[in-house]
C-alpha cells in the first residue's frame, strides 16, 4: 500500500504537534484513524529540530575542548618559560603586571566586596528568618569560601584580561614578537610567563583580601542596618 499524503498525516509528538485539520488524535504516537505514524522520514519538523540540536551540541563540545586545549597549552608554555623569570626584563614585566592586576584593583575589590558581603547577609537574613547562626553558617560556606574566589577571578578577568590581550595584540602588530624571534628570545618567556605568574599571584592574594573584606565590612554594615552585634557575629563566624 502506498503512503498517505502529507495532509493526512497525524503527528502527535512533542516537537511536531500537527495533525490533519478537523480530525482528533485518537492514538498518540501510533497509527491513527487516517492510517499514519510519526516516522522521522515523514515528520520533517521533528528531524530538523533533533538534527539542529545535535549540531549545536557538537559545536559547543568542540568549542569547549578547543578552549580547554588552548588553556592547557598556554599554561604549559608559561611553566616551561618560568626559568626566564630570573632575568631582569621578565621580572620587570612580572612586577608591572602585579601592580596593575593586584595593587591597582584593591580599591575596586574593597568597595565591591564590602557591598557584596552586606547584600548577601541582608538577603540571607530575610530568607532564613533572621536566624543569625544559620545566616552566618550559610554565608561562611557559600559566599566566603566559594563565592569570593569566583568573584575575584571574574573581576581580574574583566579588568586585566582585555588589557593583556590588547597589549599582546599591539606588540604583535608592531613587530615586537618577530623581533624577539630574530634576537633568539622565546616570546613566551618574555610576554606570556610573567603575565601568567603575575595574574595567578594577584588572584590568590586578592581572593584572600576579598574574603576578609566581605566578612569585616559585611558584618560592620549589618551591625548598622540590621542591628547585629559586631563582636558576637565575628565570634559566631570564627567559632562555627
Amino acid at each position: 500500500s502506498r503512503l498517505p499524503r502529507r495532509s493526512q498525516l497525524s503527528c502527535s509528538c512533542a516537537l511536531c504537534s500537527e495533525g490533519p485539520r478537523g480530525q482528533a488524535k485518537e492514538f498518540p504516537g501510533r497509527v491513527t484513524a487516517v492510517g499514519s505514524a510519526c516516522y522521522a522520514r515523514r515528520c520533517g519538523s521533528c528531524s530538523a529540530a533533533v538534527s539542529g540540536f545535535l549540531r549545536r551540541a557538537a559545536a559547543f563540545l568542540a568549542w569547549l575542548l578547543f578552549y580547554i586545549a588552548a588553556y592547557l597549552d598556554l599554561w604549559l608554555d608559561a611553566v616551561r618559560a618560568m626559568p626566564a623569570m630570573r632575568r631582569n626584563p621578565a621580572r620587570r614585566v612580572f612586577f608591572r603586571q602585579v601592580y596593575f592586576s593586584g595593587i591597582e584593583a584593591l580599591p575596586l575589590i574593597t568597595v565591591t566586596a564590602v557591598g557584596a558581603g552586606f547584600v548577601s547577609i541582608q538577603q540571607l537574613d530575610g530568607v532564613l528568618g533572621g536566624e543569625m547562626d544559620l545566616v552566618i553558617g550559610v554565608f561562611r560556606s557559600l559566599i566566603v569560601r566559594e563565592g569570593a574566589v569566583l568573584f575575584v577571578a571574574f573581576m581580574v578577568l574583566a579588568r586585566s584580561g582585555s588589557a593583556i590581550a590588547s597589549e599582546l595584540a599591539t606588540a604583535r602588530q608592531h613587530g615586537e614578537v618577530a623581533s624577539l624571534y630574530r634576537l633568539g628570545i622565546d616570546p613566551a618567556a618574555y610576554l606570556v610567563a610573567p603575565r601568567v605568574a603575575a595574574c595567578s599571584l594577584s588572584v590568590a592574594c586578592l581572593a584572600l583580601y576579598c574574603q576578609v573584606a566581605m566578612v569585616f565590612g559585611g558584618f560592620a554594615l549589618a551591625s548598622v542596618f540590621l542591628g547585629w552585634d559586631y563582636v558576637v557575629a565575628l565570634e559566631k563566624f570564627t567559632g562555627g
Side-chain angles (χ1 to χ4, degrees):
S1 60
R2 76 179 177 179
L3 293 173
R5 292 179 300 175
R6 185 174 180 81
S7 60
Q8 295 178 339
L9 294 177
S10 179
C11 176
S12 59
C13 64
L15 297 177
C16 180
S17 57
E18 297 178 356
R21 297 181 180 179
Q23 297 187 13
K25 304 168 187 176
E26 300 177 0
F27 305 99
R30 300 174 60 187
V31 177
T32 60
V34 293
S36 175
C38 179
Y39 293 106
R41 65 176 184 271
R42 300 293 296 173
C43 185
S45 60
C46 294
S47 59
V50 172
S51 60
F53 172 77
L54 292 178
R55 285 195 300 269
R56 289 192 296 270
F60 175 76
L61 183 60
W63 172 84
L64 183 62
L65 293 177
F66 176 78
Y67 182 82
I68 293 174
Y71 184 78
L72 293 178
D73 184 66
L74 175 64
W75 269 98
L76 290 176
D77 288 340
V79 170
R80 286 194 297 264
M82 279 301 171
M85 294 287 294
R86 294 174 294 182
R87 300 188 179 94
N88 288 329
R91 283 205 301 268
R92 284 199 298 268
V93 174
F94 171 79
F95 289 122
R96 187 168 61 246
Q97 190 64 48
V98 167
Y99 177 78
F100 175 75
S101 299
I103 298 175
E104 287 189 347
L106 285 177
L108 180 62
I109 293 293
T110 301
V111 174
T112 53
V114 172
F118 171 68
V119 170
S120 302
I121 292 173
Q122 186 181 26
Q123 294 299 318
L124 290 173
D125 184 74
V127 171
L128 300 177
E131 293 290 337
M132 182 183 290
D133 295 335
L134 188 58
V135 170
I136 292 177
V138 176
F139 178 74
R140 179 177 57 246
S141 300
L142 297 181
I143 306 302
V144 177
R145 292 180 182 174
E146 306 294 337
V149 179
L150 292 176
F151 176 76
V152 169
F154 280 116
M155 292 290 292
V156 173
L157 178 64
R159 188 174 180 273
S160 301
S162 59
I164 293 174
S166 62
E167 185 178 3
L168 294 179
T170 303
R172 183 174 182 179
Q173 184 69 23
H174 291 171
E176 296 179 15
V177 177
S179 299
L180 290 175
Y181 274 118
R182 285 194 291 267
L183 292 173
I185 300 174
D186 185 9
Y190 180 72
L191 299 176
V192 178
R195 289 174 171 84
V196 171
C199 288
S200 301
L201 180 63
S202 300
V203 168
C205 296
L206 287 176
L208 180 61
Y209 177 78
C210 181
Q211 291 174 341
V212 174
M214 273 187 171
V215 173
F216 288 95
F219 285 167
L221 293 180
S223 64
V224 175
F225 295 100
L226 300 180
W228 282 19
D229 191 303
Y230 185 76
V231 178
V232 174
L234 287 179
E235 289 179 353
K236 290 181 179 295
F237 182 85
T238 56

